[in-house]
Amino acid sequence: MFPLVWFAFFFQASQYDVVIHHARIVDGTGSPWFYADVGVRGDTIATIGDLRNETGVLDLDAHGHVLAPGFIDIHTHARRGIFLDPAAQNYIRQGVTTLMEGPDGSSPLPLAPFLEKIRTAKLAVNFGSFVGQGTLRQAVLGLENRKATPEEIEKQKALARQAMYDGAFGLSTGLFYVPGNFTPTDEVVAIAQVVGALGGIHTSHMRDEAAGVEDSVKETIRIGEEGGLPTQVTHHKIIGKANWGRSAATLELMEKARARGVDATIDAYPYTASSTSTAALFPQWSLAGGNKALLERLAAPEQRARIKAVIVERILTDRGGGDPKNVVMANCPWDPALAGKSLADITAARGHAVTVENAAETAIEIEQKQGCQAVFHAISEEDVQRILRSPLTMIASDGEVPEYGKGAPHPRSYGTFSRVLARYVRELRVLTLEDAVHKMSGYPASRLKLYDRGLIRPG
Ligand SMILES: [Zn+2]
């Protein structure tokens, strides 16, 4: 017995499990940094102050380096990779300790079994999810391009209610994508009202981030206003050179909405390129009914010509960034060798002149082979900085837990938070360190109603 009693006494002698001495604390509120020591008991901050005479089971000297809350990433696509790398090293190494899934209108459904799998997976990070409007709609209507009937809306509301009971943080929409694109705003509002009544928020990958970006911001605000819930423009950006500079107008719309009492906010990542499927170059109507239906449309010459015209237009003025070299493959499951090659490279390799018309043909061929994940260079640095600087903007990666060494992925999964700190705080001084940390911790915590997270505070 003696050694056991001694063992217990030994641990009682230390009031803290961890004491971090002499830290420069950037506390997540945006307030200027200050020096203090931090004592942690279990998984909770117990004391902040002068602990020079205290020791923990573990003592660390921060030597005046920054101590900040773990970062919260409100927009990730980690639900596949997190089970391959439960340590989520690409996020943990940036200081991100909470990942939110289910964005862009797409989530696991039902949510409960997925969250149970997450709960038992021994992750290095906290993990939460939204429920996706596109997923709800697909469960009831499939990929059909039409309005939902009143009964179908009731079914979606019931599924949304269950997802909220299962633990969803709110409703995500991806009205750019199929089937979200086929949804009238009224139908989204009907579901948002259910989610809002249960305390959820709304996060919006907008219907249009290019020529129609202002209308899409208005739609996002309207969903919040009529749905009775906080609403957020996610990964806010302005796509297409002809539209560059319009973030001045979109930010003004958001500020005006707030001035009249709509809780509308923004998240963004610090890059001038986006990433999504090559299907983003296709008109949404051509994707109704799924891949088989697309192949049938491409086999009909008149429809093929209409599809191609839209692809040409999108290369010129939208996600294609005005030039086929601005669309770079990240991952092509059917031909991994294409990763890192642009639409221009692939068109040339097929022996064709690199024209926008021929690049559209290449895009069609790619889609006929089930498409690729791609990186689209079509955003201006000026808009990136203006959006990051807005007090309404928090930082989110839109990334995933990648399979290391595979493909040529967008760097956002590995670098979003580090890049904000290195480039936009240290090098360009677009943000102060305190602002940047607030946008990564205290701000997303309050948006998610995680009132005991995101700040360096006792408890
Ligand atoms: Zn998105």
Side-chain angles (χ1 to χ4, degrees):
M1 285 305 290
F2 176 75
L4 257 183
V5 170
W6 183 85
F7 191 72
F9 173 77
F10 177 80
F11 276 100
Q12 276 167 10
S14 176
Q15 201 190 336
Y16 300 105
D17 294 303
V18 183
V19 178
I20 303 167
H21 297 276
H22 198 239
R24 185 183 297 224
I25 295 181
V26 178
D27 69 0
T29 64
S31 298
W33 64 264
F34 55 93
Y35 287 122
D37 309 321
V38 175
V40 177
R41 213 175 289 134
D43 62 358
T44 304
I45 296 174
T47 310
I48 302 168
D50 183 351
L51 301 178
R52 81 183 73 183
N53 297 321
E54 300 283 343
T55 55
V57 176
L58 176 66
D59 275 284
L60 299 170
D61 188 339
H63 295 291
H65 288 306
V66 169
L67 183 151
F71 301 150
I72 296 170
D73 192 339
I74 201 168
H75 185 141
T76 82
H77 297 270
R79 69 180 179 245
R80 195 180 59 91
I82 194 67
F83 296 109
L84 303 175
D85 178 14
Q89 292 191 59
N90 61 301
Y91 281 117
I92 284 289
R93 287 166 189 268
Q94 295 180 68
V96 178
T97 52
T98 299
L99 305 182
M100 290 298 301
E101 241 288 356
D104 298 341
S106 168
S107 70
L109 193 77
L111 208 47
F114 171 76
L115 292 176
E116 181 57 22
K117 203 175 155 200
I118 284 288
R119 200 181 62 78
T120 53
K122 294 194 166 62
L123 309 184
V125 287
N126 305 305
F127 203 99
S129 186
F130 298 102
V131 62
Q133 178 268 336
T135 302
L136 296 172
R137 194 174 212 268
Q138 188 166 355
V140 177
L141 286 84
L143 298 179
E144 287 186 44
N145 185 2
R146 63 169 174 84
K147 281 170 68 172
T149 65
E151 297 74 46
E152 287 166 339
I153 292 175
E154 287 310 312
K155 279 186 190 164
Q156 292 182 65
K157 284 160 70 175
L159 289 171
R161 195 173 292 116
Q162 185 58 50
M164 289 302 292
Y165 292 151
D166 289 350
F169 280 72
L171 179 72
S172 79
T173 51
L175 302 184
F176 171 76
Y177 293 111
V178 169
N181 192 259
F182 304 146
T183 316
T185 312
D186 286 345
E187 185 183 321
V188 180
V189 167
I191 295 161
Q193 285 171 343
V194 169
V195 169
L198 293 170
I201 68 169
H202 168 235
T203 169
S204 164
H205 176 142
M206 297 191 297
R207 207 177 281 274
D208 190 340
E209 296 176 309
V213 68
E214 283 108 319
D215 283 343
S216 288
V217 168
K218 286 179 196 161
E219 182 180 37
T220 299
I221 291 167
R222 185 184 151 202
I223 292 166
E225 197 160 21
E226 296 180 11
L229 78 182
T231 188
Q232 178 149 318
V233 174
T234 196
H235 53 50
H236 189 28
K237 54 176 129 28
I238 307 291
I239 288 182
K241 199 166 188 172
N243 308 308
W244 288 358
R246 289 167 78 172
S247 58
T250 59
L251 293 177
E252 197 182 319
L253 285 169
M254 296 294 283
E255 279 155 17
K256 280 189 175 151
R258 291 192 68 83
R260 65 170 192 274
V262 184
D263 184 355
T265 52
I266 299 167
D267 64 72
Y269 52 73
Y271 296 95
T272 54
S274 65
S275 183
T276 189
S277 152
T278 45
L281 294 170
F282 283 63
Q284 279 81 353
W285 60 261
S286 74
L287 306 172
N291 196 260
K292 190 165 162 282
L294 172 66
L295 293 181
E296 283 166 16
R297 291 182 187 107
L298 289 170
E302 185 270 339
Q303 293 199 57
R304 188 182 202 281
R306 282 170 58 210
I307 292 169
K308 187 178 166 183
V310 172
I311 298 171
V312 166
E313 183 64 20
R314 289 203 180 169
I315 292 173
L316 286 173
T317 67
D318 196 306
R319 211 165 283 264
D323 190 319
K325 75 174 174 5
N326 287 331
V327 180
V328 182
M329 302 308 129
N331 262 308
C332 304
W334 46 275
D335 185 359
L338 292 181
K341 296 201 166 65
S342 72
L343 214 45
D345 297 333
I346 300 166
T347 302
R350 290 168 59 244
H352 299 299
V354 183
T355 63
V356 174
E357 295 276 329
N358 288 343
E361 290 289 343
T362 304
I364 288 171
E365 272 188 34
I366 285 172
E367 218 52 36
Q368 282 170 327
K369 291 172 180 160
Q370 307 207 327
C372 300
Q373 189 74 14
V375 176
F376 301 84
H377 297 265
I379 303 166
S380 81
E381 179 68 28
E382 186 199 342
D383 284 319
V384 168
Q385 293 193 18
R386 186 183 289 122
I387 290 167
L388 288 179
R389 209 180 280 122
S390 166
L392 302 186
T393 302
M394 64 191 74
I395 309 303
S397 72
D398 194 11
E400 61 180 334
V401 175
E403 286 180 63
Y404 307 118
K406 201 183 150 199
H410 191 297
R412 64 195 182 188
S413 302
Y414 295 92
T416 290
F417 294 80
S418 315
R419 182 173 166 89
V420 168
L421 296 174
R423 179 172 166 82
Y424 293 98
V425 174
R426 191 169 59 213
E427 291 166 22
L428 301 178
R429 299 179 189 275
V430 169
L431 300 172
T432 65
L433 178 61
E434 288 87 344
D435 272 344
V437 169
H438 173 63
K439 287 167 178 286
M440 297 171 178
S441 56
Y443 184 23
S446 66
R447 174 88 310 197
L448 291 165
K449 307 185 182 182
L450 298 172
Y451 299 122
D452 60 348
R453 303 284 165 136
L455 301 176
I456 303 301
R457 284 286 185 278

